[in-house]
Amino acid sequence: MATSKDWVWGGGRDALLTTLQEIGIKLTTAPYKERGQRNGMMGIFCKNLFLKDRKGQFYLVISEEDAHIDLKRLRYCVKAARNFSFATADDLYTHLGVEAGCVSPFALINDTHCNIRVILDRNLQLCNNLLNFHPLSAYETSLISYQDLLVFVKFCGHSPEVVDMHTRDV
């Protein structure tokens, strides 16, 4: 059975899909379609924000595509150092091995030092639908269950944190 230590950094889409299959995660992958062109596509499309706090800690924040995320509130929930900023293109490539538009939890396989905190919106945990993420390619989307997402994130050596991003109380 594959381990995350077997992964070659920047292995790409095909290597990712092979690794997922080896750890027992089955995906359905299809060409990606923009909003308004997704008639008949299954699952919930997700947004993935790659953020950085003032002390240089990186965060991958995952929620439903249409969710409003109050970054100031989120900062308090995860006890981040001061305000968030969006990570730069260089940060994306250095830590996740991807370019803008390809950020997804699948890119965590390239975070071999586990320097990124993974924050999951609680609403994803509560839904019964499959989730859509880019498989290291902006031109495709892959469906994965929430439970398989947790298996993959843990396989990559991360401990996901579930946060209710929609409660007004801090």
Side-chain angles (χ1 to χ4, degrees), residues 5-131:
K5 291 178 178 45
D6 296 332
W7 177 257
V8 175
W9 191 90
R13 173 215 179 266
D14 292 338
L16 170 70
L17 296 178
T18 299
T19 299
L20 288 164
Q21 186 176 20
E22 288 174 356
I23 63 173
I25 296 176
K26 295 181 181 168
L27 299 180
T28 301
T29 300
Y32 176 74
K33 294 181 182 176
E34 295 291 333
R35 270 187 183 186
Q37 301 175 2
R38 296 181 184 154
N39 293 342
M41 292 190 80
M42 294 177 42
I44 294 173
F45 284 80
C46 297
K47 77 169 127 190
N48 306 277
L49 305 178
F50 192 49
L51 306 173
K52 181 179 178 179
D53 71 15
R54 292 283 178 122
K55 288 192 176 177
Q57 174 64 56
F58 289 95
Y59 300 80
L60 179 60
V61 179
I62 303 166
S63 70
E64 293 181 33
E65 180 178 55
D66 295 327
H68 170 75
I69 299 174
D70 181 339
L71 294 180
K72 289 182 181 180
R73 183 184 178 290
L74 180 62
R75 170 181 64 120
Y76 288 108
C77 291
V78 300
K79 297 176 176 48
R82 298 185 60 191
N83 293 336
F84 285 120
S85 62
F86 287 92
T88 66
D90 285 343
D91 291 334
L92 279 173
Y93 189 76
T94 299
H95 295 280
L96 292 174
V98 296
E99 297 176 354
C102 296
V103 177
S104 84
F106 295 130
L108 289 168
I109 200 158
N110 288 321
D111 180 28
T112 55
H113 298 292
C114 298
N115 291 327
I116 299 168
R117 287 179 59 188
V118 180
I119 311 297
L120 301 173
D121 186 344
R122 184 171 181 269
N123 282 355
L124 296 177
Q125 183 182 40
L126 301 174
C127 78
N128 293 320
N129 289 318
L130 295 173
L131 308 173

